[in-house]
Amino acid sequence: MLAEFGHFALLLIVVTGFGQAVLFSPAWLSSTLRASLQSSSVSLASASSPSGNGSASLTPAPGHLPAQADHFLILPIAILGLGLVAEAALIHAFVVSDFSLPIVADVSHSSTPILFRIGAAFTPNGGAMLLWVLAASLANGALAVQLLPPSKERSPLQDDPKLSYNALSILGLLIAVLGIVTLIDADPFARIPVAPLDGRGMNPQSQDMLRVLREPFLYLGLAALGVIFTLTLSGLIERKFDRRTAEYMRFWTVLAWLSLSAAIAINAYRSYSQQAWGNWWYWDTAENSLLLPWLITTALIHCRAVLEKTETLKCWTAFLGISALAVGWFGVYLTRSDLFGPLSETLSKPSNSIALLIGFCILFAGAYYMFWQRTDQMTEPRAFGLISRESGMFINSVMLALIAAVVLIGTIYPLVLRWLGGDGITVGAPFYVEVLVPIVVPLLFLMGFAPTVRWRQDDTWLIGGRMKLAAILSLIIVLFVSIRFIDLSPAPLIAIGLAGWILTASLSDLWARLWRQPDHGESKYRNLQLLGPRYISMTLAHIGLAVVIAGGAASSVWEEQIVISARAGQSIQAGPYNLQYEGVSLLAGENYATRQATFILYRHSLPVTELFPEIRYYPIRGVETREAGIWHGRDGDLHVSVGDRTDDGGRIVSVRFLPMMPWVWTGMILMLIGGSISILTRIFLRFQKNGVSTS
């Protein structure tokens, strides 16, 4: 019965979303205003002139809209409540194993652990789309609070409330479209007449907490991109895409970047921990669909900052604001659709996400048409010099967009080629490395200059003076690595050199701001406070990226891999570590049987820990998976996995030692901390309500 409540709630989300789109549209509100003025004209006239001879002005204040519009705030709250009801109903169906719902029968089983049953509600097509609707509903409520605060607080956009109401109207339409797509493509609450006795069981590759955690971050990021999309279109419609709009995009841009970064980090570690993949980035469709919106959002962060600071790059920022959601939406379509399969098979499949594609085409065709209509009306108030921070951020954003274009082409080219009847090919790391290196190298080089270049106009000799320390330190790093590893090929040496350049540039600029500025009568800690959360966030993000690049380059160059047939008691040397193989035990999991190997890890003859790689067998699906044992040490990662028995009675053991691999995970954490500082600061100042500026 709860499933019917969820289905009804989803239908109401569609209706309420369209209602919000209509009731918050300026045309509807203007007609309400005219009716309100006409009905109150007599009372206004009598109040202004008791003798009846006076007259009252019926002209509203500039930009004024009726107070009744605030009453419509119940709509975002209602949409959020309905989204929670629908999601709760679906989760309940998985918890109680309601196999009359095909979505539950296809991906769950009565023996599936309860935690993974809850997580399974996020992973199928219908469940993931419903999660997107819920995330968009949450963003809708937050945007309503942000744009239409209580009367005692005044929002900058309330100076022209049409911008606020337009944004809420467009977001209501977006939620309604997502609801319709969910109902048409993969209705999560559809029932079958005869329920099976049990389900098919969860895909063993999906029975992973990292897989479950990735989905909420992904769709929260897409929901934030939806808000950016609506704010961009609202500014274009009102011909006021300026500093105020950029200011309100700040929180949502950082939130989208942070959420997508978290999803990428989770996906990378999940790939790394699976023996079947064996690397932390595989360049497959699912990973690229995450990378595409992240790249565009990263470009948007920089251009939005330029727009807020100097009101330049309007057209480019608006284009990125639309494109970020476009590539995210298309990425979801790529991972869930079979449209690029053989045409005859595609037309016969009912679940090829055709509504998702139609919604994409209609929505973004209208958005890009609006952008094309408004480009000639968005003039830049002031020009900036070639040597300036604006110019550097623009060039960086263009390069990021080019990287996204290359990734998109590499992702869809094999699919299109197969659709046209060509040979099946795989586009992997060699293609991306060869094509992206000429773009990424200058991008990383320019990134080192970002914190030091001044706005509007700067001098080359001044920049050289500021970057002198960073140039010397990065050169020392390159010389040390090249001398220490004389046979090192140029590609990893360039990567390590660029990582050192970004790291030293960020640290030297931080040092200059802390120790070359006056103490303001207190301490250097006061200088750190005066830098502001945005500068600290940017510095941590740049340092984190440098650490990721250095760790990834080093681990790929100096990786050691050993594959042997091992017997119980045998030792394996890998880097500074020694592994002693103790044998395999047969154990029972909650819904699987496992052959668990035991390895004792030694470093310099001292025991460090035990590793337990496994071979799991899931009888419900008849699928076998292999889970690696991983040790994150200060020297690097040790990645151990086991295979089948060999003819000589041993067992295949694969050991990989990846030096500096912990740097990759540390760098990702630093980037996430940087984004979190910016988000938490905005939230804290919002609740503090003391008028402190976040700039």
Side-chain angles (χ1 to χ4, degrees):
M1 187 62 183
L2 286 180
E4 279 67 32
F5 278 112
H7 193 267
F8 186 59
L10 184 56
L11 290 171
L12 286 181
I13 287 175
V14 175
V15 175
T16 313
F18 279 121
Q20 178 175 315
V22 172
L23 294 178
F24 276 102
S25 64
W28 174 274
L29 293 174
S30 297
S31 64
T32 305
L33 173 62
R34 286 193 297 270
S36 176
L37 289 175
Q38 290 173 2
S39 63
S40 61
S41 59
V42 176
S43 60
L44 285 174
S46 60
S48 63
S49 177
S51 62
N53 297 326
S55 61
S57 173
L58 301 181
T59 304
H64 177 73
L65 286 175
Q68 290 90 334
D70 292 340
H71 299 164
F72 299 151
L73 282 175
I74 192 65
L75 293 176
I77 298 174
I79 291 175
L80 176 57
L82 291 169
L84 292 172
V85 169
E87 188 65 52
L90 183 61
I91 292 175
H92 176 267
F94 275 91
V95 170
V96 301
S97 297
D98 185 357
F99 297 122
S100 64
L101 299 181
I103 188 174
V104 179
D106 286 342
V107 297
S108 186
H109 189 271
S110 57
S111 65
T112 303
I114 184 66
L115 189 61
F116 290 113
R117 268 187 271 169
I118 296 174
F122 304 150
T123 53
N125 285 357
M129 289 300 300
L130 184 61
L131 183 62
W132 192 357
V133 172
L134 175 61
S137 302
L138 179 62
N140 183 47
L143 182 66
V145 172
Q146 181 187 24
L147 296 185
L148 302 174
S151 56
K152 62 181 179 180
E153 298 179 24
R154 186 166 182 82
S155 162
L157 282 185
Q158 292 303 293
D159 295 332
D160 192 347
K162 286 186 179 181
L163 291 171
S164 303
Y165 297 131
N166 265 325
L168 291 171
S169 176
I170 297 169
L171 189 53
L173 178 62
L174 181 62
I175 291 173
V177 170
L178 288 175
I180 292 175
V181 167
T182 304
L183 289 168
I184 294 177
D185 281 340
D187 185 355
F189 301 106
R191 286 196 184 272
I192 52 179
V194 180
L197 296 177
D198 217 325
R200 297 180 59 240
M202 195 173 188
N203 183 352
Q205 295 290 355
S206 298
Q207 190 168 314
D208 184 351
M209 278 307 302
L210 293 177
R211 175 73 168 84
V212 173
L213 288 175
R214 189 195 71 169
E215 300 301 306
F217 283 109
L218 168 61
Y219 289 105
L220 180 61
L222 291 178
L225 291 180
V227 174
I228 296 169
F229 173 81
T230 60
L231 289 171
T232 301
L233 282 187
S234 179
L236 293 176
I237 291 172
E238 295 301 319
R239 298 178 175 85
K240 292 182 179 179
F241 192 73
D242 52 16
R243 179 180 286 114
R244 290 180 301 170
T245 309
E247 180 183 348
Y248 265 77
M249 288 171 60
R250 183 199 308 169
F251 173 83
W252 297 102
T253 307
V254 178
L255 178 62
W257 183 88
L258 178 63
S259 300
L260 293 173
S261 297
I264 287 176
I266 291 171
N267 201 69
Y269 191 80
R270 180 172 174 264
S271 298
Y272 178 69
S273 63
Q274 298 289 330
Q275 185 195 12
W277 299 327
N279 210 333
W280 60 285
W281 199 258
Y282 199 63
W283 295 104
D284 67 353
T285 303
E287 291 179 330
N288 290 349
S289 66
L290 273 171
L291 184 61
L292 285 170
W294 183 86
L295 289 168
I296 299 298
T297 305
T298 305
L300 178 62
I301 282 179
H302 296 84
C303 291
R304 190 218 60 80
V306 173
L307 177 60
E308 182 182 357
K309 183 74 174 180
T310 64
E311 289 208 41
T312 53
L313 301 182
K314 292 182 179 180
C315 290
W316 182 238
T317 305
F319 177 78
L320 293 176
I322 297 173
S323 300
L325 180 62
V327 296
W329 189 305
F330 189 66
V332 172
Y333 168 72
L334 283 179
T335 58
R336 305 194 179 283
S337 172
D338 296 322
L339 189 63
F340 286 105
L343 187 59
S344 57
E345 296 180 12
T346 297
L347 295 177
S348 63
K349 290 183 178 180
S351 58
N352 57 6
S353 299
I354 191 66
L356 189 64
L357 180 62
I358 293 175
F360 170 84
C361 294
I362 295 175
L363 192 65
F364 291 100
Y368 283 114
Y369 177 77
M370 175 63 66
F371 170 76
W372 175 66
Q373 290 280 34
R374 295 291 190 264
T375 50
D376 58 341
Q377 302 172 15
M378 290 190 291
T379 57
E380 306 289 350
R382 292 178 293 174
F384 52 84
L386 179 62
I387 309 298
S388 63
R389 183 173 295 190
E390 294 95 325
S391 180
M393 287 187 170
F394 173 68
I395 294 172
N396 279 2
S397 66
V398 170
M399 289 181 176
L400 287 167
L402 285 176
I403 294 172
V406 170
V407 173
L408 179 62
I409 292 171
T411 303
I412 66 174
Y413 176 72
L415 306 176
V416 175
L417 186 64
R418 188 174 73 242
W419 194 22
L420 296 177
D423 296 333
I425 64 171
T426 300
V427 177
F431 165 79
Y432 291 106
V433 170
E434 185 175 349
V435 177
L436 292 180
V437 164
I439 306 174
V440 173
V441 169
L443 171 66
L444 297 178
F445 179 72
L446 290 175
M447 188 182 298
F449 291 98
T452 62
V453 181
R454 302 294 181 249
W455 295 100
R456 290 296 175 190
Q457 185 67 48
D458 209 342
D459 294 320
T460 306
W461 68 274
L462 290 176
I463 298 174
R466 300 184 205 116
M467 301 301 296
K468 181 169 57 177
L469 177 61
I472 293 173
L473 292 176
S474 59
L475 183 60
I476 291 173
I477 292 173
V478 172
L479 290 176
F480 173 79
V481 174
S482 59
I483 293 173
R484 177 67 176 81
F485 305 96
I486 195 67
D487 297 329
L488 189 63
S489 60
L493 182 62
I494 292 173
I496 293 173
L498 288 171
W501 164 252
I502 297 172
L503 178 64
T504 55
S506 300
L507 292 177
S508 62
D509 184 69
L510 179 62
W511 178 85
R513 290 174 185 264
L514 288 178
W515 272 267
R516 292 183 184 177
Q517 299 295 333
D519 284 350
H520 301 280
E522 298 183 25
S523 64
K524 298 303 178 183
Y525 175 70
R526 177 60 176 166
N527 279 348
L528 184 62
Q529 287 181 310
L530 293 174
L531 291 178
R534 280 196 286 180
Y535 177 81
I536 296 173
S537 299
M538 176 196 70
T539 303
L540 282 176
H542 285 189
I543 291 174
L545 180 61
V547 173
V548 169
I549 295 170
S555 63
S556 64
V557 173
W558 295 306
E559 174 186 352
E560 297 180 24
Q561 184 167 5
I562 302 168
V563 180
I564 64 171
S565 174
R567 296 172 180 267
Q570 185 172 346
S571 295
I572 306 169
Q573 186 70 33
Y577 296 102
N578 184 275
L579 281 167
Q580 182 173 320
Y581 175 48
E582 296 294 311
V584 172
S585 302
L586 299 179
L587 302 173
E590 289 189 79
N591 65 333
Y592 60 86
T594 179
R595 287 168 285 172
Q596 185 184 82
T598 302
F599 290 85
I600 301 177
L601 179 64
Y602 295 88
R603 186 178 188 274
H604 300 318
S605 302
L606 297 176
V608 177
T609 188
E610 291 183 330
L611 299 179
F612 303 99
E614 300 178 58
I615 302 177
R616 295 179 178 178
Y617 177 73
Y618 293 82
I620 303 302
R621 291 241 176 169
V623 175
E624 195 173 78
T625 65
R626 302 186 179 185
E627 308 293 326
I630 301 176
W631 166 251
H632 303 291
R634 64 175 183 269
D635 301 298
D637 279 7
L638 201 66
H639 191 284
V640 185
S641 56
V642 294
D644 298 325
R645 285 190 175 277
T646 57
D647 294 337
D648 61 359
R651 186 173 293 275
I652 296 175
V653 175
S654 175
V655 180
R656 299 169 63 214
F657 173 65
L658 298 105
M660 292 180 63
M661 194 64 194
W663 286 41
V664 174
W665 316 122
T666 302
M668 290 184 179
I669 292 173
L670 285 175
M671 294 172 70
L672 295 176
I673 291 174
S676 299
I677 288 174
S678 181
I679 288 290
L680 294 176
T681 302
R682 292 285 294 177
I683 294 175
F684 173 75
L685 292 177
R686 174 72 180 175
F687 281 104
Q688 194 178 32
K689 299 179 182 178
N690 60 0
V692 176
S693 172
T694 59
S695 59

